[in-house]
Amino acid sequence: MNLSNLQPAKGSVHKDGKRVGRGEGSGKGGTATRGHKGAKSRSGYSKKIGFEGGQMPLQRRVPKFGFKNINRKEYVGINLGKLQDMVDKGVITDTVDMDILINNKVVKRSDLVKILGGGELKTKLKVSVHKFTASAKEAIEKAGGEAVAL
């Protein structure tokens, strides 16, 4: 032990914070460090989210637009190039269906799948998923495969 590494005994130092509003003698009495008047000095004060001191809040100044369609169906897109990569790796042989895509963690069980026309498909595949773009369906059939919509 030397002067450079002196420290108080464990448990002897308390940093519990200042005790406010406990009399004038404490030095933190009176206003209890809250200042004079105003909403912040009152009990029960909590600032509302987005409150700007009475100025019109940003979320009310900005105009509303658009809407959310509650019946929207969200599809997970898979490009033909991705299917060709899976064929090259030996993951897929001749058929592609939801079970194969789920087992290879390409999609989740709850997902709706759409095959997109990006990339190039050289292999004959029987693909059965929910939807196809026109270009993807054409490319699959051109390669000698079959596109089956579920």
Side-chain angles (χ1 to χ4, degrees):
M1 180 174 19
N2 58 33
L3 285 176
S4 67
N5 62 8
L6 284 178
Q7 58 187 58
K10 194 171 178 77
S12 67
V13 176
H14 304 286
K15 290 188 176 179
D16 294 337
K18 50 190 168 188
R19 281 168 47 88
V20 296
R22 293 293 184 272
E24 285 301 310
S26 70
K28 302 277 189 285
T31 60
T33 72
R34 286 168 171 253
H36 296 280
K37 295 189 194 170
K40 280 185 176 175
S41 71
R42 318 284 186 204
S43 68
Y45 167 76
S46 67
K47 192 172 129 214
K48 305 291 182 283
I49 292 171
F51 185 66
E52 298 181 15
Q55 172 176 295
M56 186 60 69
L58 181 68
Q59 74 271 20
R60 291 189 60 196
R61 289 197 302 262
V62 176
K64 293 187 218 164
F65 65 95
F67 79 110
K68 288 270 189 234
N69 184 357
I70 59 167
N71 297 317
R72 176 173 167 74
K73 283 188 174 160
E74 193 76 46
Y75 287 90
V76 175
I78 298 174
N79 276 311
L80 290 173
K82 175 117 180 168
L83 292 180
Q84 186 60 50
D85 289 344
M86 291 171 81
V87 169
D88 295 341
K89 289 177 186 166
V91 176
I92 300 172
T93 52
D94 56 347
T95 59
V96 178
D97 59 2
M98 286 301 293
D99 292 331
I100 290 171
L101 295 173
I102 291 163
N103 291 338
N104 290 299
K105 295 185 171 57
V106 178
V107 293
K108 296 190 192 99
R109 191 163 296 284
S110 59
D111 288 338
L112 296 172
V113 177
K114 186 171 188 174
I115 302 295
L116 310 174
E120 194 179 349
L121 186 68
K122 304 177 196 104
T123 316
K124 178 183 173 184
L125 291 174
K126 182 185 181 198
V127 186
S128 51
V129 293
H130 299 101
K131 274 200 169 182
F132 299 88
T133 60
S135 60
K137 194 166 193 169
E138 184 187 319
I140 290 167
E141 286 164 358
K142 187 177 172 188
E146 187 182 353
V148 180
L150 296 177

